[in-house]
Amino acid sequence: MQGKLLLPAYYMPPISYFQAIVQQPDEIVIDQSEHYPKQTYRTRTRIGTANGILELFVPILHGRKTHIPMKDVKISDDHPWQRLHWQSIQTAYRSSAYFEYYEDDLNYFYENKFEYLVDYNAQQVKLFLKMLKIKREVSFSETFEPYNTEEIDYRRAIHPKQVLDIDSIKPYHQVFEDRQGFIPNLSILDLLCNQGPQSKNFL
């Protein structure tokens, strides 16, 4: 994987995900062959609300297989999670400076059904790269790449329960900062809604 940045496909990725991308200016390779790991950003994101951090979870279909490739993980539509997520996002960011600017593009992911989690997440990653004006090629791995210690492999480094070395988020104005203080490393959505075209300067 020399010269390529190996990343998982996260749901509305945290700011640190895009910090990693900015720091490694090579092609992005999304690993779709890794075994799906539980309790990661692959199915969750964090947004800032009047009551603090709110975690949103994408439900998936749980089969009998314990080791299933990420590309085969399917989204469950047993309950209206998309409607609930969109309502939470609107409540959190409707008063932010740039939410209306991005609203139509974001709403697409809550009005349309996606069968596979990796497709849903990867399309979001591409949209956020466009919003951030980061021009980068994005491809998918054909086979599983073994985990290694090279800095270009961030599949395990960016995790809800782990603090990153690159996780030095520059403070920026947040909607509920007067109540909650500054909350670092929320979804990139938080940065975009609050800083708009200037968001890349905070990465």
Side-chain angles (χ1 to χ4, degrees):
M1 299 302 298
Q2 187 64 35
K4 297 179 181 179
L5 176 61
L6 191 59
L7 288 168
Y10 285 162
Y11 173 49
M12 290 206 303
I15 292 171
S16 55
Y17 186 94
F18 292 93
Q19 280 188 317
I21 289 173
V22 168
Q23 291 181 12
Q24 176 67 33
D26 290 311
E27 178 187 356
I28 298 167
V29 178
I30 291 178
D31 188 352
Q32 63 175 353
S33 301
E34 62 174 350
H35 288 153
Y36 168 74
K38 298 178 180 178
Q39 299 182 348
T40 70
Y41 286 122
R42 289 160 184 81
T43 53
R44 74 171 70 180
T45 193
R46 306 188 314 155
I47 62 174
T49 74
N51 297 315
I53 296 173
L54 174 64
E55 288 195 323
L56 303 176
F57 297 86
V58 178
I60 61 172
L61 295 173
H62 294 278
R64 294 182 179 179
K65 294 181 180 179
T66 56
H67 298 290
I68 180 171
M70 184 68 181
K71 64 183 178 181
D72 294 332
V73 176
K74 293 185 177 181
I75 296 173
S76 171
D77 291 313
D78 288 343
H79 72 275
W81 67 272
Q82 286 175 292
R83 178 175 60 82
L84 296 174
H85 282 206
W86 185 238
Q87 287 177 347
S88 295
I89 290 169
Q90 288 179 306
T91 300
Y93 297 114
R94 76 177 92 187
S95 63
S96 66
Y98 295 97
F99 177 71
E100 289 186 359
Y101 184 75
Y102 300 118
E103 183 175 7
D104 289 344
D105 286 334
L106 295 168
N107 188 45
Y108 171 81
F109 292 97
Y110 300 96
E111 291 290 339
N112 295 279
K113 299 296 182 183
F114 289 77
E115 184 176 8
Y116 292 97
L117 179 66
V118 71
D119 294 333
Y120 184 64
N121 291 353
Q123 285 197 37
Q124 287 188 346
V125 169
K126 291 178 181 178
L127 174 63
F128 288 131
L129 288 172
K130 181 179 178 180
M131 289 177 173
L132 291 165
K133 296 181 173 59
I134 298 174
K135 295 182 180 180
R136 200 67 54 82
E137 292 294 324
V138 179
S139 62
F140 293 89
S141 63
E142 295 297 330
T143 58
F144 176 72
E145 293 287 336
Y147 290 108
N148 57 64
T149 57
E150 295 182 21
E151 61 181 3
I152 59 172
D153 186 348
Y154 282 103
R155 288 172 296 176
R156 287 179 169 173
I158 304 172
H159 193 280
K161 298 179 181 179
Q162 190 168 332
V163 178
L164 281 179
D165 291 336
I166 65 169
D167 190 14
S168 54
I169 310 299
K170 299 177 184 177
Y172 57 89
H173 171 74
Q174 294 176 324
V175 177
F176 302 106
E177 188 172 355
D178 59 331
R179 306 183 199 181
Q180 304 295 334
F182 177 71
I183 304 174
N185 208 28
L186 295 173
S187 167
I188 192 66
L189 175 64
D190 188 86
L191 178 58
L192 283 163
C193 286
N194 285 296
Q195 296 300 320
Q198 301 301 315
S199 295
K200 188 177 178 181
N201 297 332
F202 291 86
L203 299 175

